[in-house]
Amino acid sequence: MSWGSELWDQFDNLEKHTQWGIEFVEKYTKFVKERSEIETNYAKQIRNLSKKYQPKKNSREEEESKYTFCKAFLTTLNELNDYAGQHEVIAENLTSQIIGELTRYLTELKAERKSHFHDGRKAQQHIESSWKQLESCKRRFERDCKEADRAQQYFEKMDADINVTKADVEKARQQAQMRHQMAADSKGDYSSYLQKFNQEQNEHYYTVIPNIFQKLQDMEERRIERIGVCMKTFSDVDRQVLPIVGKCLDGMTKAAESIEPKTDSKQVVESYKSGFEPPGDVEFEDYGQTMKRTASDTSLSNSREGKEKPAGKSKGKLWPFIKNKNKPPPAPPASSPPSPSAVPNDPQSPKQHKEPLSHRLNDFMTSKPKMHCLRSLRRGLSLKLGSGPEDFSHLPPEQRRKKLQGKLDELNKDIQKEMDQRDALTKMKDVYVKNPQMGDPASVDPRLSEIGQNIEKLQFEVQKFEGWLAEVEERMPSKSDSHRRSGLYETQNNTTVSNNCAQDRESPDGSYTEEQNSETQVKANPNPNPNPNPNPTSSTPEFDDEFDDEETLPTIGTCKALYPFEGHNEGTISVAEGELLYVIEEDKGDGWTRVRRNEDEEGYVPTSYVEVFLETNAKDS
């Protein structure tokens, strides 16, 4: 069906229809643009979601990312980020392949339509102008014919009248002849112009207008075809990213399937294993041997009791970090048989409260084996505030070994990088030496010197950390030591406990200590027992300097609590707002001040929670 032959008289309607077609293209372009904006915003939201749940650097989340389920979640976030990238690709392709193309096509389409309808209007104006000229010729011919008829009638009338002179008759005859000639000329002009108009009209309605309408039809069909191509591209843009989206989803599925509960459980052991040995069996305390004591044994025990009496200020060194500070220390794992003077009614006997075994075990499990005194506690508190020693001595043996090994691996990688750079620069220098036009060999020397210094520094660090690692590995108990120690405890439980067994765990001043572990630094006992009768088979345990009894520190000032502090952590003390306390140790830069309430209650409080008033002349508390 051709518009030229079928719609030759629908010029205005075709103009409206083609304008509607252009508006439809603009509408579809707007639709695709909004879809692109939705894809862009969706991709942005997905990226923000992925970024929001990414583990922060130097945070606990980064440490927890070693578990398989955390790695799976991290992989899911990364795949989700790639998934968002595919939606960005959709938005970009929609913009470039559809929106951009349709925008350019719309400009061309409007110009083409305008040109076609301009030609159509020009043809319409021409045929209308020809029609008006034809009408003018027709009217002139009609007027001339009427004038000729009137002149002929007048001539006939004058010729019939006998009273009219021949001159008037001749004049009338000539006038009639002139009018007839004018009518004949008008008839010829009208006839020729009518023939011309019919030819132009035929050409207008059968050639010019059909050609213009055919161009409009072709333009409209191309517009419809372009819309169809864009609609197909609209779906193809999504289909093109489906394989990659499928890979992202497959990656998420694979990450979920890679979760291994057993591996995560093993990782918990690797993360928190301290390397300390569990406590041995509690030895049997045979109080029935009191009846078998001889007089010499009793006198010896009395002499020892006198030695133990002044040592009452040792406030439970075996259990320094029980959470209840006012609670008396539990009984030591083993004790010597009491002397006859140590009967309950004897005023010289020390007053020790025997607690149930379950309480002592609970207290041991809640205590921290690494921190043996307040100085170790301060070191732990400073670690919580974000600082730690370079040798990782604040960590348990096993964790310290892992940290040192990891540090060594990092240093070795850095050394390897520096050596690779040195080798590359050396080769470059050799090239410069062989080909001076390529560069100055001396320009490489400063960088080589700098790299050499860096390697020396890194090697020094490696030696330092290797020394610390060797020290830790030497002190860590081996499996054979664990079996031997467990066998020792079984032997002690199967034999009768004697004085010698008790003396192995009892210090000369009457206090009790734990067995020496891998982290204890041993030093000589400054106050040896003057009694030269120890059992040669027994070994007197030596004390760590952190276990030694510290003299009561003098007060150096007072402080007032600005805010209440609960003091739940070990080594701290709870204070109330407005309470006055004695300051016995200033803040050493770790944010904690050591204070005392009375002789038995002292601990650390945050420096920012108190107002300190230091005294010029400090007095003893």
Side-chain angles (χ1 to χ4, degrees):
M1 301 295 289
S2 174
W3 287 9
S5 59
E6 303 293 337
L7 302 176
W8 61 271
D9 57 345
Q10 299 297 322
F11 185 88
D12 294 337
N13 288 332
L14 287 180
E15 186 177 14
K16 293 178 182 179
H17 177 77
T18 53
Q19 178 62 31
W20 173 80
I22 290 177
E23 292 175 353
F24 182 85
V25 175
E26 293 176 343
K27 177 181 178 181
Y28 184 76
T29 305
K30 185 179 179 181
F31 159 75
V32 177
K33 187 179 295 183
E34 291 183 1
R35 163 71 191 280
S36 176
E37 292 175 354
I38 290 175
E39 293 291 342
T40 302
N41 294 332
Y42 178 68
K44 182 179 180 180
Q45 292 177 357
I46 292 294
R47 284 193 183 276
N48 291 339
L49 179 65
S50 176
K51 182 178 179 181
K52 177 181 178 181
Y53 286 92
Q54 287 282 350
K56 304 298 185 297
K57 291 184 178 180
N58 301 325
S59 65
R60 180 174 178 83
E61 293 180 359
E62 189 176 15
E63 297 179 0
E64 293 173 348
S65 61
K66 56 194 173 185
Y67 296 102
T68 58
F69 62 91
C70 293
K71 292 179 180 178
F73 181 56
L74 182 59
T75 303
T76 301
L77 293 178
N78 295 332
E79 294 292 347
L80 192 63
N81 194 58
D82 296 340
Y83 176 81
Q86 298 311 307
H87 284 275
E88 290 178 347
V89 171
I90 292 176
E92 293 174 0
N93 291 339
L94 289 177
T95 302
S96 61
Q97 299 180 19
I98 298 181
I99 299 175
E101 291 294 329
L102 287 183
T103 302
R104 289 189 294 271
Y105 178 69
L106 271 173
T107 304
E108 298 174 357
L109 183 64
K110 290 179 179 179
E112 183 181 0
R113 176 182 175 276
K114 183 179 179 180
S115 175
H116 293 330
F117 279 100
H118 175 74
D119 295 341
R121 288 191 184 92
K122 187 177 179 180
Q124 287 286 99
Q125 292 174 358
H126 177 73
I127 198 66
E128 288 175 0
S129 176
S130 296
W131 172 256
K132 289 179 181 179
Q133 290 181 1
L134 177 63
E135 288 292 324
S136 176
C137 291
K138 180 181 178 181
R139 286 192 299 270
R140 186 171 61 252
F141 171 62
E142 182 181 5
R143 183 176 66 250
D144 290 343
C145 287
K146 289 180 179 180
E147 292 292 334
D149 287 343
R150 284 195 296 268
Q152 182 65 27
Q153 292 176 2
Y154 180 74
F155 166 72
E156 291 177 355
K157 182 179 178 182
M158 291 295 290
D159 187 41
D161 191 356
I162 58 176
N163 297 322
V164 179
T165 61
K166 288 184 178 180
D168 293 335
V169 172
E170 185 63 23
K171 184 178 179 181
R173 187 181 64 81
Q174 291 178 357
Q175 186 68 23
Q177 289 179 356
M178 185 185 67
R179 291 296 180 181
H180 280 290
Q181 184 62 40
M182 292 178 61
D185 293 341
S186 297
K187 180 179 180 181
D189 292 341
Y190 172 68
S191 176
S192 63
Y193 204 87
L194 178 61
Q195 183 179 2
K196 180 182 178 182
F197 173 78
N198 288 334
Q199 184 179 357
E200 289 180 353
Q201 180 178 258
N202 184 70
E203 183 179 0
H204 174 78
Y205 286 109
Y206 289 95
T207 304
V208 177
I209 291 299
N211 289 338
I212 294 175
F213 282 9
Q214 184 63 40
K215 293 178 181 179
L216 288 173
Q217 183 178 358
D218 295 340
M219 179 194 72
E220 185 69 8
E221 290 176 355
R222 287 197 306 271
R223 178 190 67 82
I224 297 173
E225 182 180 4
R226 179 63 66 90
I227 287 293
V229 171
C230 290
M231 289 183 177
K232 183 175 182 296
T233 305
F234 184 83
S235 60
D236 289 341
V237 165
D238 268 354
R239 187 174 290 107
Q240 288 172 1
V241 301
L242 286 180
I244 303 179
V245 171
K247 290 182 180 180
C248 294
L249 299 177
D250 292 341
M252 297 180 188
T253 303
K254 186 177 180 180
E257 294 174 351
S258 66
I259 297 177
E260 298 178 358
K262 297 294 184 182
T263 304
D264 288 344
S265 299
K266 183 180 179 181
Q267 186 62 47
V268 174
V269 176
E270 296 293 330
S271 299
Y272 299 109
K273 181 180 178 181
S274 65
F276 290 121
E277 290 294 328
D281 297 338
V282 179
E283 298 177 2
F284 177 73
E285 301 178 8
D286 191 357
Y287 294 99
Q289 291 188 5
T290 307
M291 306 302 296
K292 302 177 182 179
R293 290 297 183 94
T294 60
S296 60
D297 293 336
T298 304
S299 61
L300 176 59
S301 299
N302 289 334
S303 63
R304 291 191 60 203
E305 189 69 13
K307 296 290 184 179
E308 295 170 0
K309 181 66 176 179
K313 67 178 181 178
S314 178
K315 302 173 183 177
K317 289 291 181 176
L318 178 60
W319 314 93
F321 295 111
I322 303 303
K323 291 186 177 181
N324 187 0
K325 297 298 181 180
N326 297 326
K327 182 178 179 181
S335 63
S336 60
S339 62
S341 61
V343 293
N345 296 328
D346 190 349
Q348 300 296 329
S349 63
K351 296 180 180 179
Q352 295 185 354
H353 177 69
K354 299 298 181 181
E355 292 186 353
L357 178 61
S358 61
H359 289 182
R360 287 157 49 186
L361 290 177
N362 290 335
D363 291 338
F364 178 81
M365 297 304 293
T366 56
S367 63
K368 296 182 179 179
K370 176 63 185 142
M371 300 181 183
H372 298 293
C373 68
L374 289 177
R375 280 175 288 183
S376 298
L377 177 62
R378 289 186 62 192
R379 184 168 56 194
L381 291 176
S382 64
L383 175 64
K384 293 179 181 179
L385 295 176
S387 62
E390 185 183 8
D391 60 351
F392 304 108
S393 59
H394 60 283
L395 298 176
E398 180 66 21
Q399 301 301 322
R400 183 186 181 192
R401 182 188 66 78
K402 292 179 181 178
K403 287 287 186 180
L404 291 173
Q405 186 62 49
K407 187 67 176 179
L408 280 173
D409 295 340
E410 294 178 3
L411 291 173
N412 288 327
K413 290 181 181 179
D414 294 339
I415 291 176
Q416 187 61 40
K417 290 181 181 178
E418 295 290 340
M419 294 177 68
D420 293 342
Q421 292 185 13
R422 184 181 63 183
D423 295 341
L425 289 174
T426 303
K427 293 180 181 179
M428 183 184 297
K429 183 177 180 180
D430 294 339
V431 172
Y432 289 169
V433 170
K434 295 178 181 179
N435 302 303
Q437 67 276 9
M438 298 183 65
D440 184 12
S443 62
V444 186
D445 292 337
R447 180 57 181 163
L448 286 174
S449 177
E450 181 182 354
I451 292 177
Q453 294 176 1
N454 293 339
I455 292 177
E456 290 180 1
K457 293 179 181 178
L458 291 173
Q459 289 176 347
F460 175 76
E461 291 291 325
V462 167
Q463 293 177 0
K464 181 169 62 174
F465 279 94
E466 285 179 348
W468 286 334
L469 180 61
E471 179 184 356
V472 172
E473 291 178 347
E474 289 177 0
R475 292 183 177 181
M476 288 183 64
S478 61
K479 294 183 178 180
S480 59
D481 295 338
S482 302
H483 294 311
R484 185 170 60 252
R485 185 172 301 177
S486 61
L488 175 60
Y489 284 122
E490 292 176 1
T491 305
Q492 290 178 349
N493 288 332
N494 295 330
T495 58
T496 303
V497 180
S498 62
N499 287 336
N500 297 332
C501 296
Q503 290 175 358
D504 290 342
R505 302 294 297 274
E506 188 174 2
S507 64
D509 59 354
S511 62
Y512 293 91
T513 61
E514 292 177 295
E515 287 187 353
Q516 183 177 349
N517 57 29
S518 60
E519 289 295 307
T520 305
Q521 297 180 356
V522 181
K523 75 173 188 176
N525 189 352
N527 298 318
N529 192 335
N531 189 353
N533 293 324
N535 192 329
T537 62
S538 64
S539 61
T540 303
E542 297 176 343
F543 284 80
D544 187 312
D545 59 341
E546 294 181 352
F547 279 90
D548 290 341
D549 292 332
E550 298 177 358
E551 293 295 332
T552 303
L553 296 177
T555 60
I556 60 175
T558 59
C559 65
K560 180 181 178 180
L562 301 177
Y563 313 100
F565 178 66
E566 297 295 335
H568 294 304
N569 294 330
E570 297 171 355
T572 61
I573 184 172
S574 60
V575 297
E577 183 178 358
E579 184 178 0
L580 295 176
L581 302 167
Y582 294 102
V583 179
I584 58 177
E585 187 174 346
E586 289 184 72
D587 186 358
K588 300 300 184 181
D590 54 4
W592 296 87
T593 300
R594 189 174 179 182
V595 300
R596 179 188 293 127
R597 181 178 286 112
N598 49 48
E599 290 185 358
D600 297 327
E601 292 184 72
E602 64 181 36
Y604 289 89
V605 296
T607 306
S608 59
Y609 277 55
V610 295
E611 183 178 5
V612 180
F613 307 94
L614 298 180
E615 297 177 359
T616 305
N617 298 322
K619 62 180 181 178
D620 191 1
S621 62

